[in-house]
Structure formats: structure tokens, C-alpha cells
Amino acid sequence: MASVIVDKYYISETFDENRNVSFTFKKAKEEVSGHFANFIDAVNEFINISEKSQNITHVWFHRDGKFRGSVNLEKARIIANRVSEAKVENKDAIEYIEKENLVDKPMPKAPKAQKVTKEVQEENKNPNLPKSVFGIEKIYAQSIFDAILAERASKRLATHKVKSRGEVSGTGKKPWAQKHTGNARAGSLRSPIFVGGGRAFGPTTERNYELKINKKARRNALFSALTMLANASSVLVRNYKLESISTRALLVELNKDNLINLNNILIVTSDEIIFKSARNLPNVHTTKVTSLSIEALVAADVLVISEKDIEYLEGMAK
């Protein structure tokens, strides 16, 4: 399949010593091939070259050293007619076609999800957070690592299974006599040594992937993760309440706290309305205080928690 060749041209504003505007015309990666006093003359030059060219052509417009848009041959003809009919002055020509949306521009890139801003950090600084939960002296990195492994292992299901010789279908008859046949002794064709037989020592659903972690180690991991969030001023004490299940209403509440553009918002709540309202938001996660995940805390950009749930965590620290 032949590749499509696109010839690129540029029309740019230039100024002389007296600030009189003119327009340069050039092909990409080549020297300037023309200077035109009128904008329409530069556009017509592109149209004439494009009509003779066997390749696809586009022209890029530049004003004040910045890209203002591009067009193909058909749209260049429209621009020439519109600028002539409107009797636009040369100094305003490129600005005119940009404002009238006569040029194509690339779609603006989606804004990257913001990290916690300084305003949010200042707002989230809370000296009243209990030190026993959000201000422990040592961060237990190894406990955090072990707790995350244990959490992931507990979610793993033993869904892989193969059939043993007692489960495969087939006859149970002895294939040949015990002796005097010249063959090795065999009691069943369902043995693993025969094609179609069962699997010896294969995986079963009885396997348990859970990893043990001591209660003290997991508690150290929990308080370490909470302390890291508090040190980053990423703990917001709020108790969101909605009258009904509404994603929009929850977004409004998050926007009030400047959280709406964050990558990962973790809301600790036991309110079913909040749980259901956040289901359609990919960057908002909800959990109960009794089900706090170490991995979710480490990944969170901000933790939203109520005073009642903080009191529950305080009780765990005693």
C-alpha cells in the first residue's frame, strides 16, 4: 500500500522597518519562495501550486511567530473568498480567519490530572489530627510492603483446576492382562501415563494463596500510610452528606474543596449514598474505615475522612 505524501507550506507575517506587513510563502524544509504584499496573493499562490501538485497539500499560517491554524486546498479557496468579500486589511487577515474558525487547529490536549495543589495542602493542614494515628515517629516501610502483598494475596482466587485420574471420563476396565503380554502392568487407561488420562499433581481449587501478616505489623503499616498522607497535607476532615444518589452532587462537593481534578481521591465513609454516587467516578474511591486498604492509602492523592472515623482509628492505636 503506497504511503500518502503531504506537502506542507507556510504563510507567515513579516514586517519591515516601518512596520509595514507583508507575507512570506515557503515550502517546508525549503527556502522562502515568495514575498507578497497582500494576504490574498499569498493564499492564491498556495492554491495555484496545490492545483498543479499530485500530492495532498496543506498550508500553515503563522502570526507573531505562533501557529494560528492550517487548511487544505478547498478551505484555502474559502478563505480567499471570505477575506475578499469582507475586505479585511492585511494586518488583520490571519487574526480574522482564526476568529472566524476558517482554519483547523489540533484538539487541545486533555488537562493532566493535577496533583495536590498548595492551596489544597494549606486547607488540609489540620493540627488537631491525633499523633497516635497521623503522626507516628517511625515510618514502617517493610510493614507497608508486607501488608500490600498480603492484601493482594487475599484477593487471589484459586480458579485454575485440572482433572485427576478419578475425574476424567473413560472406562475403568483393565486394558490388558497383568502378565504374559510383554507390556508393562497397567490397571487403567485413565492413568497419567496414557494420552487422555488424568493429570498427576495438578492445581486444584483447594489451594490457599493467603499470606500471614501479624496484627502489629499491619497496624504499623496502616498508621505509617496515614502518617505519610498527613505529612503531605493530604488528609481532609470532611463528612460529605447527600440527600439522594447523585454523581453530580458529589462532584459539586469535591469541587468546593478543590479536589475534582486529582488522580486518586479516597473517601472513607459508611454512607451508602456516597458509595453509589461515586461509582461512576474513575478517580474517586470509597471505603469503610473498617476496610481500609494499605495499598489504597499509599496510592491516594488525598484522604477524605470524618471525625467519627478518626475516633475509630484512635481506638485502634490504644
Side-chain angles (χ1 to χ4, degrees):
M1 182 177 179
S3 59
V4 178
I5 300 175
V6 179
D7 291 338
K8 298 181 180 179
Y9 295 88
Y10 298 94
I11 295 177
S12 307
E13 283 185 343
T14 57
F15 296 90
D16 59 15
E17 296 177 354
N18 299 322
R19 296 299 296 172
N20 294 320
V21 65
S22 61
F23 300 90
T24 59
F25 178 81
K26 67 181 291 287
K27 188 176 181 180
K29 299 181 180 179
E30 294 184 6
E31 297 295 329
V32 174
S33 58
H35 289 274
F36 299 91
N38 295 319
F39 174 74
I40 295 178
D41 293 339
V43 176
N44 286 333
E45 178 69 10
F46 167 73
I47 293 173
N48 294 333
I49 292 176
S50 300
E51 289 175 343
K52 298 175 183 178
S53 176
Q54 296 180 349
N55 301 330
I56 297 174
T57 57
H58 274 75
V59 60
W60 271 251
F61 297 98
H62 287 264
R63 184 172 190 266
D64 299 329
K66 296 182 180 179
F67 169 69
R68 301 294 179 158
S70 64
V71 295
N72 55 18
L73 173 59
E74 294 180 1
K75 290 188 176 182
R77 291 173 178 151
I78 295 173
I79 287 175
N81 292 332
R82 289 283 294 275
V83 172
S84 297
E85 292 173 358
K87 297 180 180 179
V88 181
E89 295 185 9
N90 287 320
K91 62 183 181 66
D92 301 324
I94 294 180
E95 184 178 2
Y96 171 79
I97 63 175
E98 184 182 9
K99 288 183 177 180
E100 293 294 318
N101 293 323
L102 299 177
V103 292
D104 300 325
K105 287 190 173 183
M107 292 294 291
K109 294 182 179 179
K112 294 182 178 179
Q114 300 176 3
K115 294 185 178 180
V116 180
T117 60
K118 291 183 179 179
E119 291 79 7
V120 175
Q121 288 182 340
E122 290 297 326
E123 194 173 312
N124 294 349
K125 281 186 178 179
N126 193 335
N128 297 325
L129 291 175
K131 296 296 182 182
S132 59
V133 176
F134 295 94
I136 61 175
E137 296 179 357
K138 179 182 177 181
I139 301 297
Y140 295 88
Q142 185 62 47
S143 295
I144 292 175
F145 177 78
D146 294 340
I148 291 176
L149 285 184
E151 287 176 356
R152 291 181 177 180
S154 65
K155 297 176 184 177
R156 186 173 178 182
L157 301 176
T159 55
H160 40 290
K161 171 76 170 67
V162 295
K163 291 183 179 181
S164 66
R165 63 184 294 170
E167 295 170 324
V168 295
S169 61
T171 179
K173 181 182 177 182
K174 187 175 175 66
W176 52 74
Q178 181 80 348
K179 296 184 178 182
H180 311 299
T181 64
N183 295 324
R185 295 172 290 184
S188 171
L189 290 176
R190 303 304 100 198
S191 170
I193 67 173
F194 291 108
V195 174
R199 171 83 175 270
F201 309 114
T204 69
T205 56
E206 296 177 0
R207 180 165 180 175
N208 183 6
Y209 289 99
E210 290 187 8
L211 297 177
K212 182 181 181 298
I213 181 171
N214 294 335
K215 290 182 180 179
K216 185 177 180 180
R218 192 187 185 286
R219 186 176 61 183
N220 288 339
L222 175 63
F223 295 154
S224 295
L226 292 170
T227 298
M228 288 192 297
L229 284 168
N231 291 342
S233 299
S234 299
V235 179
L236 180 62
V237 181
R238 288 284 190 279
N239 186 19
Y240 292 136
K241 290 292 183 181
L242 302 179
E243 295 181 358
S244 59
I245 300 171
S246 172
T247 301
R248 179 183 291 274
L250 181 58
L251 284 173
V252 170
E253 294 298 322
L254 293 173
N255 194 37
K256 290 178 182 177
D257 294 317
N258 299 319
L259 305 179
I260 196 170
N261 291 323
L262 295 181
N263 273 335
N264 196 324
I265 304 168
L266 181 62
I267 301 177
V268 180
T269 180
S270 57
D271 190 343
E272 186 178 359
I273 294 178
I274 300 296
F275 268 88
K276 293 184 176 180
S277 297
R279 284 185 299 186
N280 291 334
L281 300 176
N283 63 328
V284 179
H285 305 279
T286 53
T287 182
K288 293 183 178 180
V289 69
T290 54
S291 305
L292 271 176
S293 166
I294 308 301
E295 186 171 12
L297 289 171
V298 172
D301 290 326
V302 65
L303 172 68
V304 182
I305 188 170
S306 66
E307 293 182 356
K308 182 179 179 181
D309 291 331
I310 291 177
E311 291 177 1
Y312 176 86
L313 294 174
E314 270 191 289
M316 292 178 59
K318 293 180 180 179

